Amino acid sequence: MPHFKLRDGAELYYEKNGSGPPLFLVPGLGGDGRFWGANVDELARRFTVVVHDHRGTARSTLSRIAYSVEQMADDALQLIEGLGFDRVHWCGHSTGGAMGQVLAIDHPGRIDRLVLSSTWAKTDAFFRRLFEVRSLMLRELGPAAYLKSSALALNMPSWVRDHDADLAAAEARALETIPLPEIVLSRIAAIVAHDRREQLQKVRAPTLAICARDDTVTPLYFTEELVRLIPGARAYVLADGGHAYPNVHGDEFRRVMAAFLLES
């Protein structure tokens, strides 16, 4: 499968599927494009869907660098340019949404329509404390404990109830999933440092912010703030689904997003 070489020699794993307007589906902190699951094939019926693994994760180069949201966004911008796209639709989930804010502010000509999924403009005390605990779990107890605790934060209780075996299998592959914990810790520091709140008024791309009402990682008030600060932005709030709602309510997620992206 294809890899794209960045300016500094690191490589991003990516996949391109379908035809139609280009749509980048960008995952969150885990950085693994497989997060999107069945959403990729379904959206590829109407869009040219590009997913990639962030640098430092999954099948991309595990670079030992000081990570930042700006660096993550620049890696993605290099991929956009390398694939020959002038402008793309961008749907970024959580960290991917922070990356989308950076691109929409700093490179407005590259973003056609912007979907901000379960994301935030600036860290607050809740967000900082949550990721302090997650970092502590990884440093002191290791990858398996980190993944076990993360599952409880990312998913709504009924999903955990119904996917116990899947989660146990993921935890058993912990060292494969997190081969270099120091990279995860650097990426956590990067997202905690993210702050584009004072620049959101510069966003000119039509923007849709989506979240689930029961998200305990990026609570509803973060989405409400994005919509309040981005000119013309609108919100869509699902009744439930937790932070990982796109894989709980995929049909609703795809229906709402596709309708927004295809508006004339």
Side-chain angles (χ1 to χ4, degrees):
M1 299 302 289
H3 285 76
F4 174 76
K5 183 166 288 190
L6 299 167
R7 286 188 296 266
D8 64 1
E11 294 186 344
L12 295 183
Y13 175 89
Y14 75 94
E15 296 179 359
K16 185 170 71 168
N17 296 277
S19 60
L23 167 62
F24 268 55
L25 287 179
V26 186
L29 177 64
D32 191 328
R34 288 169 288 197
F35 164 80
W36 295 104
N39 289 304
V40 173
D41 288 341
E42 292 298 324
L43 287 166
R45 300 174 188 272
R46 308 174 81 175
F47 301 94
T48 299
V49 177
V50 178
V51 297
H52 76 282
D53 296 344
H54 299 190
R55 183 208 298 247
T57 75
R59 297 155 291 183
S60 292
T61 300
L62 302 179
S63 300
R64 289 181 169 91
I65 61 172
Y67 285 84
S68 71
V69 174
E70 286 72 21
Q71 161 268 314
M72 298 175 203
D74 183 67
D75 285 354
L77 178 60
Q78 290 181 56
L79 180 58
I80 291 170
E81 293 172 343
L83 293 178
F85 298 125
D86 291 326
R87 295 165 61 85
V88 301
H89 296 317
W90 180 281
C91 174
H93 183 77
S94 199
T95 299
M99 295 160 63
Q101 294 167 50
V102 170
L103 291 176
I105 292 166
D106 294 349
H107 303 278
R110 292 294 188 177
I111 302 300
D112 192 344
R113 286 179 174 259
L114 177 64
V115 179
L116 299 175
S117 172
S118 295
T119 192
W120 76 103
K122 180 181 179 179
T123 298
D124 67 357
F126 169 79
F127 191 93
R128 173 179 53 79
R129 285 175 173 272
L130 172 65
F131 281 94
E132 284 175 350
V133 170
R134 292 181 69 182
S135 295
L136 185 64
M137 293 285 288
L138 181 54
R139 282 196 305 268
E140 300 297 327
L141 299 178
Y146 171 83
L147 291 174
K148 187 179 287 288
S149 65
S150 296
L152 298 177
L154 299 175
N155 301 295
M156 67 181 195
S158 60
W159 191 93
V160 174
R161 176 196 66 199
D162 296 337
H163 294 82
D164 185 52
D166 295 332
L167 291 172
E171 291 152 12
R173 298 192 303 271
L175 292 178
E176 175 185 324
T177 305
I178 307 178
L180 297 172
E182 61 267 33
I183 291 178
V184 178
L185 292 169
S186 181
R187 285 171 55 80
I188 288 175
I191 67 170
V192 170
H194 173 68
D195 178 5
R196 289 289 175 136
R197 180 186 287 165
E198 300 305 318
Q199 298 172 295
L200 288 176
Q201 77 278 1
K202 296 180 180 179
V203 174
R204 293 295 175 262
T207 301
L208 173 67
I210 310 178
C211 70
R213 190 171 297 278
D214 63 346
D215 188 340
T216 58
V217 175
T218 52
L220 174 61
Y221 62 77
F222 281 128
T223 292
E224 293 173 336
E225 180 178 61
L226 289 166
V227 171
R228 188 167 63 249
L229 296 177
I230 296 174
R234 69 186 91 158
Y236 186 87
V237 180
L238 288 84
D240 61 18
H243 190 63
Y245 79 86
N247 290 319
V248 178
H249 299 302
D251 288 344
E252 186 175 1
F253 163 68
R254 293 189 300 271
R255 174 179 57 78
V256 171
M257 184 174 69
F260 169 72
L261 296 179
L262 295 172
E263 285 179 0
S264 57

